[in-house]
Amino acid sequence: MSLKKIAQMAGVSPSTVSRVLNNASSTCASKSVRDKIFDAAREIGYQPNENARQLKMSSKHEKAGRHISIVLARIKVLEDDPFFYELFRSLEISLFENHATIDHVVYAEEKLSQDISKSQGVIILGRCSEKLLGQILSLNRQVVGIWRNSMNFNVDEVVCDGKKAAELAMNHLISLGHKNIAYIGDCSYESRYIGYCNSLIHNNIPMNYEWIKQTDQTGEAGSAAFYELMESCDDFSAVFCANDITAISVLKILKKQKRRNARKISVISIDNIEESENTSPFLTTIHIPRKEMAHLAVTLLLDRIEKKHSETVRIEFPCRIINRSSCYPNE
């Protein structure tokens, strides 16, 4: 009945609902359809089967369904950041599979609601300040964080080291003979920027600050930064972008200016979002295992809620390169 209700609310077939709720991949349906299905599922407190849902609705078995809040620590609008959008969807699927529902979604600039205290646990997405974490812990002690680098907080965390990801990307460019490598992304306390700098130092490559462009890592800011880079410098051979959205904007500019710009500029980035598979050329990027990170975060949180562990747990996932066709040997 739940699937039929969601299908009716989203205006799709029950089979489409089933595919989307069991697979975060974009091949299941369009983004707009997936959004409608997930929104409807959250609205009705979807559980994977009717028996689980009835248990959830029963006061006698109220604890059968877990109620979880999500705090988006760095995000103002989820749809504007494809990496966190895809990570959030993977979280929803993992929560559904574990008979848990999302009670509240709190964005970075919103005031924390007392309602978080009514949830049985909280998952934080993105780098969290000590102040914000303190506010969350004052409302709910069952917390797990998903971020790029360990924050050394006394909470469970699932990480994929941004510095290591950046070093992997830089080493790939350097192995292709590149030394004049520009950087577009956040430079303030940012692990990916640290990885960029470390790779240059380790390989005895001088740092040229004219090739470093600070952005807020949106597509629009990335485009502006790359145009500025091309106007002020003409001797870089490769660009390391801190995220795929920036890199995709750079590739679009290079494609438009292909006739005017005879030299090939290599582009590499981090995240491996779904859109990176559809660029021209296909984007070489560092894969961050979103689905696995979401699964382990949910597992850790539910385990802590059930008091099966009390010590702080840190799980680090390795990253890997997805070598496509946007990087070339330096001639």
Side-chain angles (χ1 to χ4, degrees):
M1 187 65 187
S2 294
L3 292 181
K4 291 181 179 180
K5 178 65 174 177
I6 294 170
Q8 183 181 24
M9 294 169 69
V12 297
S13 68
S15 61
T16 299
V17 173
S18 179
R19 286 197 303 271
V20 169
L21 293 181
N22 288 283
N23 190 342
S25 170
S26 62
T27 59
C28 295
S30 68
K31 179 179 179 297
S32 61
V33 168
R34 283 181 287 156
D35 285 346
K36 289 178 182 178
I37 290 172
F38 278 112
D39 290 345
R42 199 182 317 133
E43 182 178 336
I44 69 169
Y46 167 74
Q47 295 289 307
N49 59 66
E50 191 62 23
N51 289 333
R53 187 163 185 251
Q54 291 300 324
L55 286 173
K56 171 182 174 291
M57 298 300 289
S58 169
S59 58
K60 183 178 179 181
H61 301 284
E62 189 173 357
K63 292 184 179 179
R66 300 297 186 183
H67 301 269
I68 308 300
S69 288
I70 307 292
V71 176
L72 298 161
R74 300 187 68 182
I75 308 300
K76 298 177 182 177
V77 180
L78 185 62
E79 288 73 13
D80 288 349
D81 191 312
F83 173 79
F84 280 105
Y85 173 87
E86 293 170 19
L87 178 57
F88 182 87
R89 290 304 184 219
S90 292
L91 267 177
E92 283 195 301
I93 289 174
S94 187
L95 287 167
F96 291 154
E97 291 172 345
N98 285 277
H99 308 296
T101 56
I102 298 176
D103 276 355
H104 308 286
V105 179
V106 183
Y107 288 87
E109 293 187 341
E110 296 178 356
K111 184 178 179 180
L112 286 176
S113 170
Q114 289 289 332
D115 290 336
I116 289 180
S117 63
K118 300 175 184 177
S119 297
Q120 289 158 299
V122 178
I123 298 175
I124 307 172
L125 295 189
R127 188 173 67 195
C128 178
S129 69
E130 191 168 357
K131 179 181 178 182
L132 177 59
L133 180 62
Q135 293 172 344
I136 294 170
L137 289 173
S138 70
L139 297 170
N140 197 310
R141 301 297 300 179
Q142 314 301 333
V143 174
V144 61
I146 306 179
W147 33 61
R148 295 187 185 278
N149 290 74
S150 174
M151 303 295 292
N152 293 315
F153 294 145
N154 190 30
V155 296
D156 293 340
E157 57 183 7
V158 179
V159 303
C160 186
D161 194 321
K163 182 169 72 69
K164 292 178 182 177
E167 290 171 350
L168 185 59
M170 288 291 291
N171 289 339
H172 181 66
L173 291 175
I174 292 169
S175 72
L176 292 173
H178 295 282
K179 292 186 177 181
N180 298 351
I181 304 171
Y183 171 86
I184 301 177
D186 189 3
C187 301
S188 57
Y189 306 104
E190 175 52 59
S191 58
R192 287 165 285 186
Y193 178 62
I194 294 172
Y196 166 81
C197 296
N198 283 354
S199 295
L200 294 178
I201 293 169
H202 180 75
N203 289 278
N204 297 313
I205 300 173
M207 186 175 294
N208 186 332
Y209 288 97
E210 292 184 356
W211 296 339
I212 298 172
K213 299 298 178 183
Q214 160 75 28
T215 74
D216 61 6
Q217 301 183 161
T218 61
E220 184 178 353
S223 295
F226 188 62
Y227 276 123
E228 182 182 339
L229 186 64
M230 289 194 301
E231 291 174 2
S232 60
C233 311
D234 60 0
D235 49 356
F236 62 93
S237 62
V239 181
F240 167 45
C241 300
N243 63 3
D244 285 354
I245 283 299
T246 301
I248 290 168
S249 297
V250 168
L251 288 178
K252 289 178 180 178
I253 294 171
L254 289 173
K255 186 176 181 180
K256 287 180 181 179
Q257 300 196 349
K258 188 173 182 179
R259 293 182 180 179
R260 287 182 285 174
N261 190 359
R263 65 191 178 104
K264 285 187 175 181
I265 297 176
S266 293
V267 180
I268 196 168
S269 58
I270 296 174
D271 283 343
N272 192 32
I273 61 174
E274 293 170 359
E275 193 179 348
S276 68
E277 301 179 50
N278 301 310
T279 59
S280 179
F282 299 127
L283 178 62
T284 296
T285 182
I286 306 301
H287 176 69
I288 306 297
R290 296 177 297 279
K291 184 184 297 185
E292 291 77 8
M293 292 175 76
H295 169 70
L296 262 296
V298 170
T299 301
L300 270 179
L301 183 61
L302 296 181
D303 193 74
R304 179 169 287 279
I305 290 171
E306 294 166 9
K307 302 187 184 305
K308 292 182 179 179
H309 77 277
S310 57
E311 295 294 326
T312 300
V313 176
R314 179 180 304 142
I315 297 176
E316 179 178 337
F317 279 91
C319 53
R320 58 185 172 87
I321 190 165
I322 305 296
N323 194 357
R324 296 190 181 111
S325 54
S326 65
C327 294
Y328 322 99
N330 187 31
E331 299 175 353

